[in-house]
Amino acid sequence: MTAISHSNRGPARPSAHPRRVFLLGATGTIGRATELALVRRGHEVVCFVRPRAGVGGALAPGDSVRLLAGSTVRFGDITRPESLVRDGFQGEHFDALVSCMASRTGAPKDAWTIDHAAHVHALEAARLAGVSQVVLLSALCVQKPLLAFQHAKLAFEKALIDSGLTYSIVRPTAFFKSLSGQVERVKRGKPFLLFGDGTLTACKPISDNDLADYLADCLDEESRQNRVLPIGGPGEAITPRQQGEHLFALFGRTPKFRHVPVGLMDAIVGVLGTLGSVMPPLADKAELARIGRYYATESMLVIDPQTGRYDARATPSTGTETLFDFYARLANGGIAPERGDHAVF
Ligand SMILES: NC(=O)c1ccc[n+]([C@@H]2O[C@H](COP(=O)([O-])OP(=O)(O)OC[C@H]3O[C@@H](n4cnc5c(N)ncnc54)[C@H](OP(=O)(O)O)[C@@H]3O)[C@@H](O)[C@H]2O)c1
């Protein structure tokens, strides 16, 4: 098996102004790539992580230190402001805060704790440490907020904009990991699952590395500062049906689709929502179903304010890596990425 790593990245242009960067969320998918992108530009990076990190707490402290070998790794509890100050910033000066941190579940309580409150505390501690610039990884879907985690993210975006610090709020489209859940199914000869006819939605997938480069370059590129930045990957927008067709061609199989009616998702959301109001443990499951329904019906493209429609042409592109190159690497034995709690298929 070949791990799909960041090692095939060419040398980065060093930053003209290397900075001391405090990085949150460094153990996540985009955080790992962003740590590398920052280090490759010559920044001095301090990562603040929890003692058990990664999907399901799979990373012990030594694993995180090895994973983030180019940086200093500090351990603490981001949900406790005193830990952030004592164990994280440690009374030192920093120039920039970069955050790729986000709730792993998207459940309302976790989202408000991490995507909002922990960020508010981090912003305050960062300001006290001398930070004058913040780069925040957000999500394009907050432009049409229907879910708890989207409202939590928007609330922090507003706090950051109001802070007076220089900010770059980066709102990407879909990540490769979120579009790779059916590679194994197709490989094993199973049908590709589609909501509706598979053309209800589209996105411009962005690779971890291309997004990480974009985030890291926000520190130097003035055109990306004090702005909210929707961003997709290279090439045309792709529908779920096109993803399926491409995978069947890649594995030399006859296309076989199974259509899941959106009404079925509505029924699941409705039942779990009703049960969740009387049985709290089911409330999080209801929110997960709502998240699944959202991505089944909403495109990850910029909404044109004139028409109210998703618009691929209005969605900027960056980078060089395409989803179909990534599928080819997976088909050639690359290890599929960890998809975490948001995985629908
Ligand atoms: N998936 C997509 O297609 C997509 C598209 C656009 C935007 N986005 C957005 O991109 C962002 C990052 O995505 P990702 O896939 O890189 O996320 P991820 O892999 O789930 O990583 C989340 C990071 O946040 C940290 N974190 C979560 N809860 C924490 C806690 N209680 N204490 C300390 N750290 C905590 C995690 O640390 P641990 O390792 O300790 O858990 C991890 O480092 C999210 O805001 C997401 O909404 C995603």
Side-chain angles (χ1 to χ4, degrees):
M1 293 275 243
T2 318
I4 296 178
S5 72
H6 312 297
S7 56
N8 55 359
R9 226 51 190 162
R13 195 158 38 99
S15 168
H17 305 286
R19 296 166 174 84
R20 285 204 88 210
V21 178
F22 195 81
L23 177 62
L24 299 176
T27 51
T29 303
I30 304 305
R32 294 177 190 200
T34 301
E35 186 259 349
L36 279 171
L38 290 167
V39 169
R40 286 166 63 248
R41 281 159 179 74
H43 299 298
E44 185 190 336
V45 182
V46 172
C47 303
F48 187 55
V49 309
R50 48 183 165 179
R52 294 302 310 198
V55 174
L59 300 176
D63 300 320
S64 295
V65 169
R66 273 187 293 281
L67 180 73
L68 305 166
S71 307
T72 300
V73 182
R74 294 179 181 167
F75 297 93
D77 183 351
I78 189 77
T79 64
R80 289 176 38 230
E82 69 278 14
S83 174
L84 195 54
V85 170
R86 184 190 59 224
D87 309 319
F89 288 95
Q90 297 188 0
E92 297 170 6
H93 174 86
F94 285 85
D95 302 302
L97 172 69
V98 176
S99 179
C100 300
M101 182 175 69
S103 157
R104 279 198 178 269
T105 62
K109 185 161 176 280
D110 197 38
W112 281 101
T113 303
I114 298 302
D115 296 69
H116 180 252
H119 274 107
V120 169
H121 297 313
L123 185 63
E124 199 41 49
R127 188 203 288 279
L128 293 173
V131 161
S132 58
Q133 187 174 6
V134 181
V135 179
L136 174 71
L137 172 59
S138 182
L140 186 51
C141 61
V142 305
Q143 69 185 328
K144 184 171 177 182
L146 301 175
L147 302 163
F149 84 85
Q150 296 165 335
H151 289 290
K153 279 185 190 301
L154 273 177
F156 179 65
E157 283 192 4
K158 182 171 184 315
L160 175 55
I161 291 167
D162 292 346
S163 72
L165 300 185
T166 299
Y167 68 86
S168 301
I169 295 172
V170 177
R171 293 180 175 175
T173 66
F175 301 164
F176 289 2
K177 70 172 175 183
S178 303
L179 305 172
S180 59
Q182 298 198 64
V183 176
E184 272 307 306
R185 285 182 63 85
V186 172
K187 194 172 169 185
R188 284 188 272 117
K190 293 192 166 181
F192 191 95
L193 304 175
L194 291 175
F195 286 105
D197 67 356
T199 61
L200 292 174
T201 65
C203 63
K204 288 175 90 169
I206 187 164
S207 83
D208 303 350
N209 290 321
D210 284 336
L211 178 53
D213 282 343
Y214 188 86
L215 288 160
D217 286 338
C218 287
L219 290 177
D220 284 325
E221 293 225 4
E222 280 184 30
S223 63
R224 294 185 194 167
Q225 291 164 13
N226 296 324
R227 290 188 62 187
V228 174
L229 302 152
I231 194 73
E236 302 294 316
I238 307 175
T239 64
R241 189 170 187 98
Q242 287 169 312
Q243 291 161 33
E245 282 165 354
H246 189 87
L247 284 174
F248 286 115
L250 196 61
F251 289 110
R253 295 190 180 275
T254 308
K256 215 170 22 167
F257 292 100
R258 181 168 299 155
H259 301 272
V260 182
V262 175
L264 180 65
M265 287 294 281
D266 289 335
I268 294 170
V269 169
V271 170
L272 286 174
T274 307
L275 291 175
S277 59
V278 283
M279 296 164 72
L282 287 180
D284 284 355
K285 296 239 179 313
E287 185 68 6
L288 199 58
R290 268 181 227 112
I291 293 171
R293 198 222 180 265
Y294 186 97
Y295 291 123
T297 52
E298 302 291 341
S299 288
M300 292 302 114
L301 297 171
V302 169
I303 295 174
D304 179 334
Q306 308 291 323
T307 63
R309 293 221 180 98
Y310 289 109
D311 184 352
R313 277 169 310 172
T315 310
S317 289
T318 189
T320 56
E321 297 178 342
T322 70
L323 180 67
F324 293 163
D325 294 339
F326 179 75
Y327 282 169
R329 295 209 298 279
L330 285 180
N332 284 328
I335 298 171
E338 288 173 319
R339 292 166 54 244
D341 295 309
H342 283 291
V344 176
F345 289 131

